[in-house]
Amino acid sequence: MHNVEEILNEHFTPALAKTTKLVFERGEGPYLYTTDGKKYLDYVSGIAVNALGHCHPKIVAAIKEQAEKLIHASFNLGSYPSALNLAQKLAEYTPGDLNMFFFSNSGAEAVEGALKLARYRTQRPAYIAFKGSFHGRTMGALSMTASTVNFRAGYEPLLQSIYHVSYPYCFRCPYHQQEESCSLECLAEIERLFQYLVPPEAVALVLFEPVQGEGGYIVPPKKYVKALAQLCQEKNILLAFDEVQTGFGRTGHMFAAQYFELVPDIMALGKAIGGGLPLSAVVSSKKLMKDWPPGAHGGTFGANPVSCAAALASLEVFEEENIIENCRKVGSYFKEKLLELKDRFPVIGDV
Ligand SMILES: Cc1ncc(COP(=O)(O)O)c(C=O)c1O
């Protein structure tokens, strides 16, 4: 057995903060097994990636089959069935007219793509993001991120003309309102932004996590999200949902947009999309995507054949095993039980 700590200290920068010293050997369903033979229930799912658990046999089979045929060719140079089939299949699930994709590798890359698409198509300089949000670690995505100062400290100047507003967090309402009688003061904050800091005509995009993830698993009220979409429409500002974390069943719908009964202009997808392999996507309508000209965006690895095969297999499992229905069932059970705990223990403020 290697001296793990020695190798980590010698060859891995501590910048990637590790939360445990475990060494994983294999995963199966909800469990992880370490090299010293211990079994762990994996509550983290590879940071919200393994929506179907570890090593689902169908995904493993699809990866093996694709790896024997073609591992990489670059979608820049030609096409291959796994990517073509994935785009067609995924378009069956994405809301409304959002049926054009740009495939990339990580959530941050998808966010970068969304920022670039919005800037390119509107030719406007500014963006609006939310306090508490997490969008990734690349410079553009990091500039939108505001979940902790630790992620940003030491990297300024970040992208300019980004305005962070309050997230609609009713439990800790920044305006001390009650959810039932709330007058959406946090939305009025955006109106005040337009009055004092940036004209709406200068804003390309509002980037919104439909459930704030890293910021504390905050579900915004439906009426806020609807009003935000309406405001964007009125001001001719694009609205992007960062569904990197909320996508693929986590809200009891394939995408949170469907829970909110809304079709944003752009979505960023990542994490669970690739069945465990690196894959992400910018999703939008033909209206926005069609006139993004050849060469305006790109990447060597995007739509990797093996990742696409895994993603396709994952979507098939969603169908065959009624995953969304199961998410709702298990989610409701958990919520009910957690609410019971909340009633019993005053230390629990919110579920
Ligand atoms: C909402 C959201 N957006 C973007 C990202 C960045 O994804 P990645 O770490 O794959 O770059 C994350 C990662 O946690 C996320 O939760």
Side-chain angles (χ1 to χ4, degrees):
M1 177 63 194
H2 298 110
N3 185 333
V4 178
E5 211 150 341
E6 211 174 279
I7 302 175
L8 288 174
N9 286 339
E10 186 65 18
H11 297 296
F12 291 81
T13 169
L16 186 83
K18 281 190 116 51
T19 44
T20 77
K21 294 195 171 119
L22 301 178
V23 183
F24 307 125
E25 188 163 62
R26 64 187 184 89
E28 192 182 325
Y31 300 110
L32 275 170
Y33 297 83
T34 51
T35 43
D36 58 359
K38 288 203 179 113
K39 177 181 178 182
Y40 290 85
L41 178 57
D42 178 9
Y43 265 96
V44 189
S45 300
I47 317 191
V49 168
N50 301 312
L52 305 174
H54 289 278
C55 299
H56 190 289
K58 186 150 181 174
I59 296 180
V60 174
I63 291 172
K64 281 185 179 165
E65 196 186 324
Q66 181 60 50
E68 279 171 4
K69 286 190 202 148
L70 181 71
I71 294 176
H72 173 76
S74 194
F75 210 69
N76 293 276
L77 306 177
S79 305
Y80 31 81
S82 63
L84 299 172
N85 294 340
L86 174 64
Q88 274 190 317
K89 188 84 196 159
L90 195 54
E92 289 174 22
Y93 289 99
T94 44
D97 59 351
L98 305 190
N99 57 12
M100 266 206 160
F101 306 98
F102 178 93
F103 288 107
S104 42
N105 310 288
S106 67
E109 249 188 288
V111 168
E112 295 291 339
L115 298 180
K116 285 178 72 180
L117 175 64
R119 170 78 58 83
Y120 196 96
R121 294 295 278 115
T122 63
Q123 290 295 299
R124 296 173 172 190
Y127 298 102
I128 293 175
F130 291 80
K131 290 175 193 161
S133 64
F134 185 83
H135 299 293
R137 305 295 203 120
T138 52
M139 280 302 223
L142 178 65
S143 308
M144 307 297 283
T145 291
S147 56
T148 156
V149 75
N150 296 343
F151 297 161
R152 296 168 61 96
Y155 296 109
E156 289 190 274
L158 293 165
L159 267 195
Q160 293 179 343
S161 300
I162 294 175
Y163 298 87
H164 286 97
V165 294
S166 300
Y167 195 82
Y169 184 10
C170 298
F171 179 67
R172 290 202 171 87
C173 174
Y175 295 97
H176 307 290
Q177 297 200 313
Q178 299 301 319
E179 193 174 347
E180 311 73 51
S181 55
C182 138
S183 57
L184 292 183
E185 264 309 300
C186 43
L187 196 76
E189 192 179 317
I190 302 181
E191 302 268 19
R192 284 196 292 279
L193 195 71
F194 295 152
Q195 203 178 348
Y196 296 116
L197 286 167
V198 61
E201 301 77 37
V203 180
L205 180 82
V206 172
L207 180 64
F208 184 70
E209 279 173 278
V211 172
Q212 206 168 62
E214 304 290 309
Y217 296 97
I218 302 162
V219 184
K222 275 188 176 169
K223 70 173 179 181
Y224 175 91
V225 186
K226 288 211 153 80
L228 176 70
Q230 200 177 342
L231 181 66
C232 288
Q233 204 168 25
E234 274 166 28
K235 305 290 183 193
N236 214 10
I237 296 170
L238 296 173
L239 174 64
F241 278 5
D242 179 342
E243 293 239 22
V244 168
Q245 193 164 151
T246 48
F248 300 91
R250 293 199 77 215
T251 62
H253 295 262
M254 196 53 129
F255 300 106
Q258 285 141 352
Y259 166 77
F260 289 107
E261 297 169 84
L262 277 173
V263 182
D265 298 294
I266 303 172
M267 293 201 313
L269 305 180
K271 290 200 186 274
I273 186 177
L277 292 195
L279 186 70
S280 65
V282 189
V283 191
S284 190
S285 60
K286 287 194 182 66
K287 195 170 127 232
L288 274 178
M289 281 270 199
K290 266 277 180 212
D291 296 326
W292 207 12
H297 194 36
T300 303
F301 282 109
N304 169 269
V306 187
S307 297
C308 287
L312 194 59
S314 166
L315 283 177
E316 283 163 11
V317 175
F318 265 84
E319 280 169 16
E320 289 161 13
E321 298 185 16
N322 292 322
I323 297 295
I324 297 289
E325 208 179 295
N326 189 56
C327 291
R328 286 184 196 175
K329 206 168 98 192
V330 177
S332 306
Y333 173 82
F334 254 89
K335 190 162 177 190
E336 190 190 309
K337 296 291 169 193
L338 290 170
L339 285 169
E340 277 173 28
L341 287 180
K342 178 174 170 281
D343 284 344
R344 280 174 52 205
F345 299 104
V347 71
I348 303 175
D350 192 26
V351 169

